[in-house]
Amino acid sequence: MLSDRGHDNLWARTAREADPFSPLASDISADVAIIGAGFTGLSTALHLAERGLKAVVLEAQAIGHGGSGRNVGLVNAGMWVKPDDLIQTQGQEWGQRLISALGDGPKLVFDLVERFDIACEPERNGTLHLAVGDSGLADLRDREAQWQALGAPVKLLDAGTAARLTGTHAFRGALHDARAGTIQPLAYARGLARAAAAAGTRIFTHTPATKVARTGGHWQVETPGGTARAPWLVVATNAYTDPAQPGLLAAPQQELTILPFFQFATRPLPGELADRILPERHGCWDTRLIMTSFRRDRENRLIFGSVGSLESWSVAAQKSFARRSLRQLFPVLGEVEFEARWHGQIGMNKSHLPRFHVFGEQAIGVCGFNGRGIAPGTVFGKQMAGLICGAGEMALPATPVENASFASLRTWSYRLGSCAVHLISGYGSRS
Ligand SMILES: Cc1cc2nc3c(=O)[nH]c(=O)nc-3n(C[C@H](O)[C@H](O)[C@H](O)COP(=O)(O)OP(=O)(O)OC[C@H]3O[C@@H](n4cnc5c(N)ncnc54)[C@H](O)[C@@H]3O)c2cc1C
């Protein structure tokens, strides 16, 4: 687990939704016990409550402590894997199901935000996938053709339009996806928790599940303050699964390789700069292998992210890379000062697609969002609730938990490799 020492997560500072929950301090029964209060666990709880089932959510730390409270906030439609590749690898039926469930994912997120009045800075104006060099442009052309063949509102913008919408001439074009947008992710997670609690879910924070066992047709989930008992169990711990936990509590970790990703936020930009940099507030990421992202928050801070961790030995290199990159992308910025920095763990797997697991009798979970978990976590949470109620199907087949080969070696190579690349490069010097 990456340490958060010296970090200041912007989302925690600016979230307008509260986290009023406290630890479990007695034994409790429910219809479903959910471990983990990120998008996946909270969406499951909310949709169960809407169908009349009571869930108890057990969270080891705070709401959104995992990826859900640390991410970029890009509410994407679909995964990294292109639609045609999805059909090829998953087959026609599962591929189509997944494409359509995830294509509608942003709609589900923005509908929930509106329905529950979640104060999470929603911007529903599409995202921009930015083309770096000829190969980046070719990749985006291919994505445009595949999505358009499916009728999706995805359009490749020329370099001039990309420059106007981003405020930089660094890109050969941009793929605009009108289904997508941005949110303040921690506020969204807290808003889901508020809505789920109002609908009857009991939520306990600072309540780590330390042991699970099935006895007498029920799951018993032990925590330091009491035991939760329920016929169904949902494990929603994804990349924040603690590998030291016993049994199925550690299972999701087995097949994940952890990719670290950091972000820096500037001070709020003055009005004249905000008019020039991302004037329409699009969320952006690029086509590079070591991907970078940038977006603005509601107060016009520019938030820049890339692959890597912010640890005592890497923070200076990553900070200097972020500064250099922002100066190269947006020379009008001048000297860049950061007021927040944080990192998080992305759970990657071999297929680059989320995987649905049946861990035991009436024990399920989805993990491996591969850096695309806002809409997919919300979608699969809703689908798991439907499955538990016997009123719906998953868009993913149930698969056995795989073993990620050389996972910790690869995680270390991401940590060290990104730092080495960022140490010697800026935004303009590689493609
Ligand atoms: C830096 C970063 C940037 C990203 N950017 C984007 C983006 O722009 N767009 C996008 O769609 N996705 C993005 N992602 C991915 C997305 O954030 C995740 O896929 C998503 O948050 C996963 O949600 P989750 O609910 O499954 O898991 P998490 O949000 O990780 O929640 C798991 C929770 O389980 C808890 N937990 C673990 N073990 C236990 C236990 N034993 N008992 C109780 N609780 C436990 C953890 O404390 C944690 O709160 C990004 C991720 C990161 C880290």
Side-chain angles (χ1 to χ4, degrees):
M1 203 74 65
L2 294 175
S3 152
D4 292 338
R5 250 180 59 190
H7 287 209
D8 181 5
N9 180 342
L10 177 71
W11 305 134
R13 208 188 314 151
T14 64
R16 284 191 293 146
E17 293 278 349
D19 177 352
F21 305 101
S22 48
L24 179 65
S26 62
D27 293 344
I28 186 173
S29 290
D31 298 313
V32 184
I34 298 172
I35 303 176
F39 306 134
T40 309
L42 293 168
S43 170
T44 311
L46 173 59
H47 289 100
L48 282 168
E50 293 206 306
R51 289 171 181 275
L53 286 199
K54 297 278 183 268
V56 54
V57 177
L58 307 169
E59 164 55 50
Q61 306 280 340
I63 302 294
H65 170 79
S68 299
R70 299 164 185 258
N71 64 64
V72 182
L74 301 166
V75 186
N76 297 108
M79 302 299 295
W80 297 104
V81 181
K82 294 180 198 174
D84 288 2
D85 297 341
L86 240 160
I87 300 277
Q88 207 166 48
T89 55
Q90 306 303 300
Q92 189 69 29
E93 190 200 332
W94 288 108
Q96 284 295 357
R97 271 203 217 180
L98 202 50
I99 288 168
S100 113
L102 296 184
D104 291 341
K107 178 172 172 359
L108 175 65
V109 171
F110 288 113
D111 284 355
L112 289 171
V113 168
E114 198 177 310
R115 191 147 63 92
F116 295 103
D117 201 16
I118 300 178
C120 65
E121 309 177 23
E123 295 284 347
R124 202 176 177 178
N125 52 358
T127 47
L128 298 173
H129 191 177
L130 303 168
V132 179
D134 290 342
S135 59
L137 192 60
D139 177 48
L140 295 188
R141 272 205 191 99
D142 199 25
R143 288 180 188 272
E144 180 195 38
Q146 293 189 22
W147 276 118
Q148 284 187 351
L150 295 164
V154 171
K155 189 172 180 344
L156 187 59
L157 309 175
D158 62 24
T161 312
R164 181 177 64 74
L165 292 177
T166 54
T168 171
H169 289 276
F171 302 104
R172 299 284 307 281
L175 192 66
H176 179 256
D177 187 335
R179 299 167 294 181
T182 57
I183 51 165
Q184 207 279 26
L186 178 60
Y188 173 57
R190 289 183 181 176
L192 286 179
R194 169 174 57 77
T201 304
R202 301 196 59 191
I203 300 178
F204 299 95
T205 50
H206 303 285
T207 300
T210 52
K211 194 174 166 195
V212 291
R214 182 137 181 115
T215 45
H218 281 75
W219 287 98
Q220 312 261 18
V221 185
E222 286 181 22
T223 79
T227 299
R229 194 166 176 273
W232 278 88
L233 178 70
V234 174
V235 181
T237 53
N238 196 42
Y240 280 78
T241 304
D242 179 356
Q245 294 289 356
L248 71 78
L249 283 175
Q253 185 76 20
Q254 263 178 50
E255 67 178 11
L256 297 179
T257 300
I258 300 300
L259 178 79
F261 196 92
F262 67 80
Q263 294 182 86
F264 285 93
T266 68
R267 298 208 174 115
L269 303 180
E272 67 277 12
L273 284 185
D275 289 344
R276 294 169 69 175
I277 299 174
L278 301 175
E280 296 181 23
R281 296 181 178 279
H282 287 103
C284 304
W285 75 102
D286 66 18
T287 55
R288 286 185 160 131
L289 187 61
I290 302 183
M291 186 267 262
T292 57
S293 62
F294 54 92
R295 59 163 293 185
R296 269 167 43 186
D297 77 346
R298 194 192 29 207
E299 272 100 34
N300 293 332
R301 295 177 186 87
L302 192 55
I303 304 162
F304 178 89
S306 189
V307 173
S309 58
L310 301 180
E311 292 157 283
S312 52
W313 51 268
S314 59
V315 66
Q318 305 292 24
K319 185 176 186 177
S320 139
F321 166 72
R323 273 217 177 103
R324 231 166 30 244
S325 299
L326 283 175
R327 271 203 308 268
Q328 285 163 353
L329 285 167
F330 309 109
V332 287
L333 275 177
E335 263 320 299
V336 181
E337 286 300 325
F338 295 120
E339 65 169 45
R341 68 165 195 249
W342 68 103
H343 64 192
Q345 308 189 155
I346 293 179
M348 309 288 291
N349 59 23
K350 287 182 202 153
S351 65
H352 291 176
L353 292 173
R355 287 163 58 83
F356 170 53
H357 298 305
V358 177
F359 295 110
E361 193 184 347
Q362 302 198 159
I364 57 177
V366 174
C367 62
F369 293 103
N370 291 273
R372 288 269 174 112
I374 301 177
T378 310
V379 166
F380 291 122
K382 183 178 179 182
Q383 292 193 352
M384 284 194 283
L387 188 79
I388 290 168
C389 297
E393 288 186 320
M394 299 296 293
L396 287 169
T399 43
V401 178
E402 284 181 351
N403 271 326
S405 27
F406 308 112
S408 59
L409 202 63
R410 276 194 279 149
T411 297
W412 267 103
S413 78
Y414 296 140
R415 284 159 92 172
L416 295 173
S418 69
C419 193
V421 170
H422 290 163
L423 204 56
I424 54 169
S425 69
Y427 205 86
S429 54
R430 62 195 174 92
S431 59

Coordinates of all heavy atoms in Angstrom, one line a residue, residues 35-41 58-76 207-210 236-242 245 249 259 261-263 342-346 366 369-377, ligand 1:
I35 N -18.3 -4.8 1.8 CA -17.0 -4.4 2.3 C -16.4 -3.4 1.3 O -16.1 -3.8 0.1 CB -16.1 -5.6 2.5 CG1 -16.8 -6.6 3.4 CG2 -14.8 -5.2 3.1 CD1 -16.0 -7.9 3.6
G36 N -16.2 -2.2 1.8 CA -15.6 -1.2 0.9 C -16.6 -0.1 0.5 O -17.7 -0.4 -0.1
A37 N -16.3 1.2 0.9 CA -17.2 2.3 0.5 C -16.6 3.2 -0.5 O -16.3 4.3 -0.3 CB -17.5 3.1 1.8
G38 N -16.4 2.6 -1.7 CA -16.1 3.4 -2.9 C -17.3 3.4 -3.8 O -18.4 3.0 -3.4
F39 N -17.1 3.7 -5.1 CA -18.3 3.8 -6.0 C -19.0 2.4 -6.1 O -20.2 2.4 -6.1 CB -17.8 4.2 -7.4 CG -17.1 5.5 -7.4 CD1 -15.9 5.5 -8.2 CD2 -17.5 6.6 -6.8 CE1 -15.2 6.7 -8.3 CE2 -16.7 7.8 -6.8 CZ -15.6 7.8 -7.6
T40 N -18.2 1.3 -6.1 CA -18.8 0.0 -6.4 C -19.7 -0.4 -5.2 O -20.8 -0.8 -5.3 CB -17.7 -1.0 -6.6 OG1 -16.8 -0.5 -7.6 CG2 -18.3 -2.3 -7.1
G41 N -19.1 -0.3 -4.0 CA -19.9 -0.7 -2.8 C -21.0 0.2 -2.5 O -22.1 -0.3 -2.2
L58 N -19.3 -1.7 5.3 CA -18.2 -1.6 6.3 C -17.0 -1.1 5.5 O -16.5 -1.7 4.5 CB -17.9 -3.0 6.8 CG -19.1 -3.8 7.4 CD1 -18.8 -5.3 7.6 CD2 -19.6 -3.1 8.6
E59 N -16.5 0.0 6.0 CA -15.3 0.7 5.3 C -14.2 0.8 6.3 O -14.3 1.3 7.4 CB -15.8 2.1 4.8 CG -14.6 3.0 4.5 CD -13.6 2.5 3.4 OE1 -14.1 2.0 2.4 OE2 -12.4 2.6 3.7
A60 N -13.0 0.3 5.9 CA -11.8 0.3 6.8 C -11.4 1.7 7.2 O -10.9 1.9 8.3 CB -10.7 -0.4 6.1
Q61 N -11.5 2.7 6.3 CA -11.1 4.0 6.6 C -12.2 5.0 6.5 O -13.1 4.9 7.3 CB -10.0 4.4 5.6 CG -8.8 3.4 5.5 CD -7.8 3.6 6.6 OE1 -7.7 4.6 7.2 NE2 -7.1 2.5 6.9
A62 N -12.2 5.9 5.5 CA -13.3 6.8 5.3 C -14.0 6.6 4.0 O -13.5 5.9 3.2 CB -12.7 8.3 5.4
I63 N -15.1 7.2 3.8 CA -15.8 7.1 2.5 C -14.9 7.6 1.4 O -14.3 8.7 1.5 CB -17.1 8.0 2.5 CG1 -18.1 7.6 3.6 CG2 -17.8 8.0 1.1 CD1 -18.7 6.3 3.5
G64 N -14.7 6.8 0.3 CA -13.8 7.2 -0.8 C -12.4 7.2 -0.4 O -11.6 7.9 -1.1
H65 N -12.0 6.5 0.6 CA -10.5 6.4 0.9 C -9.7 5.8 -0.2 O -8.5 6.1 -0.4 CB -10.3 5.6 2.2 CG -8.9 5.3 2.5 ND1 -8.1 6.2 3.0 CD2 -8.1 4.2 2.2 CE1 -6.8 5.6 3.1 NE2 -6.9 4.4 2.6
G66 N -10.3 4.9 -1.0 CA -9.5 4.2 -2.1 C -9.5 5.1 -3.3 O -9.6 6.3 -3.3
G67 N -9.5 4.4 -4.5 CA -9.5 5.1 -5.8 C -10.6 6.1 -5.9 O -10.5 7.2 -6.5
S68 N -11.7 5.9 -5.3 CA -12.9 6.7 -5.5 C -12.7 8.1 -5.0 O -13.4 9.0 -5.5 CB -14.1 6.1 -4.8 OG -14.4 4.8 -5.4
G69 N -11.9 8.3 -4.0 CA -11.7 9.7 -3.5 C -10.4 10.3 -4.0 O -10.0 11.4 -3.5
R70 N -9.7 9.7 -4.9 CA -8.4 10.1 -5.3 C -8.3 10.3 -6.8 O -7.2 10.8 -7.3 CB -7.3 9.1 -5.0 CG -7.2 8.8 -3.5 CD -6.5 7.5 -3.3 NE -6.5 7.1 -1.9 CZ -5.5 7.3 -1.1 NH1 -4.3 7.8 -1.5 NH2 -5.6 7.0 0.2
N71 N -9.3 10.0 -7.6 CA -9.0 9.9 -9.1 C -9.1 11.2 -9.8 O -9.3 12.3 -9.1 CB -10.0 8.8 -9.7 CG -11.4 9.2 -9.5 OD1 -11.9 10.2 -10.0 ND2 -12.2 8.5 -8.7
V72 N -9.0 11.2 -11.1 CA -9.0 12.4 -11.9 C -10.4 13.0 -12.0 O -10.6 14.2 -12.2 CB -8.4 12.1 -13.3 CG1 -8.3 13.4 -14.1 CG2 -7.0 11.5 -13.2
G73 N -11.4 12.1 -12.0 CA -12.8 12.6 -12.1 C -13.3 12.6 -13.5 O -14.3 13.2 -13.8
L74 N -12.6 11.8 -14.4 CA -13.1 11.7 -15.8 C -14.2 10.6 -15.8 O -13.9 9.4 -15.5 CB -12.0 11.2 -16.7 CG -10.8 12.2 -16.8 CD1 -9.6 11.4 -17.4 CD2 -11.1 13.4 -17.5
V75 N -15.4 11.0 -16.1 CA -16.5 10.0 -16.1 C -16.6 9.5 -17.6 O -17.3 10.1 -18.4 CB -17.9 10.7 -15.7 CG1 -19.0 9.7 -15.6 CG2 -17.7 11.4 -14.4
N76 N -15.9 8.4 -17.8 CA -15.7 7.9 -19.2 C -16.8 6.9 -19.6 O -17.3 6.2 -18.7 CB -14.4 7.2 -19.4 CG -13.2 8.2 -19.2 OD1 -12.5 8.1 -18.2 ND2 -13.0 9.1 -20.1
T207 N -14.0 0.9 10.1 CA -14.4 -0.4 10.4 C -13.9 -1.5 9.5 O -14.6 -1.9 8.5 CB -16.0 -0.4 10.4 OG1 -16.5 0.6 11.4 CG2 -16.6 -1.8 10.8
P208 N -12.6 -1.9 9.7 CA -12.1 -2.9 8.7 C -12.7 -4.3 8.9 O -12.9 -4.7 10.1 CB -10.6 -2.9 9.1 CG -10.5 -2.4 10.5 CD -11.7 -1.4 10.6
A209 N -13.0 -4.9 7.9 CA -13.4 -6.3 7.9 C -12.2 -7.1 8.1 O -11.2 -7.0 7.3 CB -14.2 -6.8 6.7
T210 N -12.1 -7.9 9.2 CA -10.9 -8.6 9.5 C -11.0 -10.2 9.2 O -10.0 -10.9 9.2 CB -10.4 -8.4 10.9 OG1 -11.6 -8.7 11.8 CG2 -10.0 -7.0 11.1
A236 N -16.0 -5.2 -2.3 CA -15.8 -4.1 -3.2 C -14.6 -3.3 -2.7 O -14.6 -2.1 -2.5 CB -17.1 -3.2 -3.1
T237 N -13.5 -4.0 -2.7 CA -12.2 -3.4 -2.1 C -11.2 -3.1 -3.2 O -10.2 -2.4 -3.0 CB -11.6 -4.3 -1.0 OG1 -11.5 -5.6 -1.5 CG2 -12.5 -4.3 0.2
N238 N -11.4 -3.7 -4.4 CA -10.6 -3.4 -5.6 C -9.1 -3.2 -5.3 O -8.5 -4.0 -4.6 CB -11.2 -2.2 -6.4 CG -10.6 -2.2 -7.8 OD1 -10.5 -3.2 -8.4 ND2 -10.3 -1.0 -8.2
A239 N -8.5 -2.1 -5.7 CA -7.0 -1.9 -5.6 C -6.6 -1.6 -4.2 O -5.4 -1.5 -3.9 CB -6.6 -0.8 -6.5
Y240 N -7.6 -1.4 -3.3 CA -7.3 -1.1 -1.9 C -7.5 -2.3 -1.0 O -7.6 -2.2 0.2 CB -8.0 0.2 -1.4 CG -7.3 1.4 -1.9 CD1 -7.4 1.8 -3.2 CD2 -6.4 2.0 -1.1 CE1 -6.6 2.9 -3.7 CE2 -5.6 3.1 -1.5 CZ -5.7 3.5 -2.9 OH -5.0 4.5 -3.3
T241 N -7.6 -3.5 -1.6 CA -7.7 -4.7 -0.9 C -6.4 -4.9 -0.1 O -5.3 -4.6 -0.7 CB -7.8 -5.9 -1.9 OG1 -9.0 -5.7 -2.7 CG2 -7.9 -7.2 -1.2
D242 N -6.5 -5.3 1.1 CA -5.3 -5.5 1.9 C -4.8 -6.9 1.8 O -5.5 -7.8 2.2 CB -5.6 -5.2 3.4 CG -4.4 -5.4 4.3 OD1 -3.4 -5.8 3.8 OD2 -4.6 -5.0 5.5
Q245 N -5.0 -9.5 4.7 CA -6.2 -10.0 5.3 C -6.3 -11.5 4.9 O -5.8 -12.0 3.9 CB -7.4 -9.3 4.7 CG -7.4 -7.8 5.2 CD -7.8 -7.6 6.6 OE1 -8.0 -8.6 7.3 NE2 -7.7 -6.4 7.1
L249 N -11.1 -12.1 1.8 CA -10.9 -10.6 1.9 C -9.7 -10.2 1.1 O -9.6 -9.0 0.8 CB -10.6 -10.3 3.4 CG -11.9 -10.3 4.3 CD1 -11.5 -10.1 5.7 CD2 -12.8 -9.2 3.8
L259 N -1.0 0.0 -10.3 CA -0.3 1.1 -11.1 C -0.5 2.4 -10.3 O -1.7 2.8 -10.0 CB -1.0 1.2 -12.5 CG -0.5 2.4 -13.4 CD1 0.8 1.9 -14.0 CD2 -1.5 2.7 -14.4
F261 N -0.7 6.4 -9.6 CA -1.0 7.6 -10.4 C -1.0 8.8 -9.5 O -1.7 8.7 -8.5 CB -2.3 7.4 -11.2 CG -2.5 8.4 -12.3 CD1 -2.2 8.0 -13.6 CD2 -3.1 9.6 -12.1 CE1 -2.4 8.9 -14.7 CE2 -3.3 10.5 -13.2 CZ -3.0 10.1 -14.5
F262 N -0.3 9.9 -9.9 CA -0.3 11.1 -9.0 C -1.0 12.3 -9.6 O -1.1 12.3 -10.8 CB 1.2 11.4 -8.6 CG 2.0 11.9 -9.8 CD1 1.9 13.2 -10.3 CD2 2.9 11.1 -10.5 CE1 2.6 13.7 -11.4 CE2 3.6 11.5 -11.6 CZ 3.5 12.8 -12.0
Q263 N -1.3 13.2 -8.8 CA -1.9 14.5 -9.3 C -1.3 15.7 -8.5 O -1.1 15.5 -7.3 CB -3.4 14.5 -9.2 CG -4.0 13.4 -10.2 CD -5.5 13.4 -10.2 OE1 -6.1 14.2 -10.9 NE2 -6.0 12.6 -9.4
W342 N -1.3 14.5 -4.4 CA -1.7 13.2 -3.8 C -1.5 12.1 -4.9 O -1.3 12.4 -6.0 CB -3.2 13.3 -3.3 CG -4.2 13.4 -4.4 CD1 -5.0 12.4 -4.9 CD2 -4.6 14.6 -5.1 NE1 -5.9 13.0 -5.8 CE2 -5.6 14.3 -6.0 CE3 -4.1 15.9 -5.1 CZ2 -6.2 15.2 -6.9 CZ3 -4.7 16.9 -6.0 CH2 -5.7 16.5 -6.9
H343 N -1.6 10.9 -4.4 CA -1.5 9.8 -5.4 C -2.5 8.7 -5.0 O -3.2 8.8 -4.0 CB -0.1 9.2 -5.5 CG 0.4 8.6 -4.2 ND1 1.8 8.3 -4.1 CD2 -0.2 8.3 -3.1 CE1 1.9 7.7 -2.9 NE2 0.8 7.7 -2.3
G344 N -2.6 7.7 -5.9 CA -3.5 6.6 -5.6 C -3.1 5.4 -6.4 O -2.2 5.4 -7.2
Q345 N -3.8 4.3 -6.0 CA -3.4 3.0 -6.6 C -4.5 2.5 -7.6 O -5.7 2.5 -7.3 CB -3.4 1.9 -5.5 CG -2.5 2.3 -4.4 CD -2.3 1.2 -3.4 OE1 -1.3 1.2 -2.7 NE2 -3.2 0.2 -3.3
I346 N -4.1 2.3 -8.8 CA -5.0 1.8 -9.8 C -4.9 0.3 -10.0 O -3.7 -0.2 -10.1 CB -4.7 2.5 -11.2 CG1 -5.1 4.0 -11.1 CG2 -5.5 1.8 -12.3 CD1 -4.8 4.8 -12.4
V366 N -16.8 -7.2 -8.0 CA -16.2 -6.8 -9.3 C -15.0 -6.0 -9.0 O -15.0 -5.2 -8.1 CB -17.2 -6.0 -10.2 CG1 -16.5 -5.5 -11.4 CG2 -18.5 -6.7 -10.5
F369 N -10.7 -2.3 -12.4 CA -11.3 -1.3 -13.3 C -10.3 -0.6 -14.2 O -10.6 0.2 -15.0 CB -12.1 -0.2 -12.4 CG -13.3 -0.8 -11.7 CD1 -13.3 -1.1 -10.4 CD2 -14.4 -1.1 -12.5 CE1 -14.4 -1.7 -9.8 CE2 -15.6 -1.6 -11.9 CZ -15.5 -1.9 -10.5
N370 N -9.0 -1.0 -14.0 CA -8.0 -0.5 -14.9 C -8.0 1.0 -15.1 O -7.8 1.5 -16.2 CB -8.1 -1.3 -16.2 CG -7.7 -2.8 -16.0 OD1 -6.6 -3.1 -16.1 ND2 -8.7 -3.6 -15.8
G371 N -8.3 1.7 -14.0 CA -8.2 3.2 -14.2 C -9.5 3.8 -14.7 O -9.6 5.0 -15.0
R372 N -10.5 3.0 -14.9 CA -11.8 3.5 -15.4 C -12.9 3.0 -14.5 O -13.6 2.0 -14.8 CB -12.1 2.9 -16.8 CG -11.3 3.5 -17.9 CD -12.0 4.7 -18.5 NE -11.2 5.4 -19.4 CZ -11.4 5.5 -20.7 NH1 -12.4 4.8 -21.2 NH2 -10.7 6.2 -21.5
G373 N -13.1 3.6 -13.3 CA -14.0 3.0 -12.3 C -15.2 3.8 -11.9 O -16.0 3.4 -11.2
I374 N -15.2 5.1 -12.4 CA -16.3 5.9 -11.9 C -17.6 5.4 -12.4 O -18.5 5.0 -11.7 CB -16.1 7.4 -12.3 CG1 -14.8 7.9 -11.7 CG2 -17.3 8.3 -11.8 CD1 -14.4 9.4 -12.1
A375 N -17.7 5.4 -13.8 CA -19.0 4.9 -14.4 C -19.1 3.4 -14.2 O -20.1 2.9 -13.7 CB -19.1 5.4 -15.8
P376 N -18.0 2.6 -14.5 CA -18.1 1.2 -14.4 C -18.4 0.7 -13.0 O -19.2 -0.2 -12.8 CB -16.8 0.7 -14.9 CG -16.3 1.7 -15.9 CD -16.8 3.0 -15.2
G377 N -17.8 1.3 -11.9 CA -18.1 0.9 -10.6 C -19.5 1.2 -10.2 O -20.2 0.4 -9.6
Ligands
LIG1 C1 -5.2 8.3 -9.1 C2 -6.3 7.6 -9.8 C3 -6.9 8.2 -10.9 C4 -8.0 7.6 -11.5 N1 -8.7 8.3 -12.5 C5 -9.9 7.8 -12.9 C6 -10.7 8.6 -13.8 O1 -10.4 9.7 -14.1 N2 -11.9 8.0 -14.2 C7 -12.3 6.8 -13.8 O2 -13.4 6.4 -14.2 N3 -11.6 6.1 -13.0 C8 -10.4 6.6 -12.5 N4 -9.7 5.8 -11.6 C9 -10.2 4.5 -11.2 C10 -11.3 4.6 -10.1 O3 -11.0 5.6 -9.2 C11 -11.4 3.3 -9.4 O4 -11.6 2.3 -10.4 C12 -12.7 3.3 -8.6 O5 -12.6 4.3 -7.6 C13 -12.8 1.9 -7.9 O6 -13.9 2.0 -7.0 P1 -14.2 0.9 -6.0 O7 -15.4 1.3 -5.2 O8 -14.3 -0.4 -6.7 O9 -12.9 0.8 -5.1 P2 -12.2 1.9 -4.1 O10 -12.7 3.2 -4.4 O11 -10.8 1.7 -4.2 O12 -12.8 1.5 -2.7 C14 -12.4 0.3 -2.0 C15 -12.6 0.6 -0.5 O13 -12.4 -0.6 0.2 C16 -11.9 -0.3 1.5 N5 -11.4 -1.5 2.1 C17 -10.3 -2.3 1.7 N6 -10.2 -3.4 2.5 C18 -11.2 -3.3 3.4 C19 -11.5 -4.1 4.5 N7 -10.9 -5.2 4.8 N8 -12.6 -3.7 5.2 C20 -13.3 -2.6 4.9 N9 -13.0 -1.8 3.9 C21 -11.9 -2.1 3.1 C22 -10.8 0.8 1.1 O14 -10.5 1.5 2.3 C23 -11.6 1.6 0.1 O15 -12.2 2.7 0.6 C24 -8.5 6.4 -11.0 C25 -7.9 5.8 -9.9 C26 -6.8 6.4 -9.3 C27 -6.2 5.7 -8.1

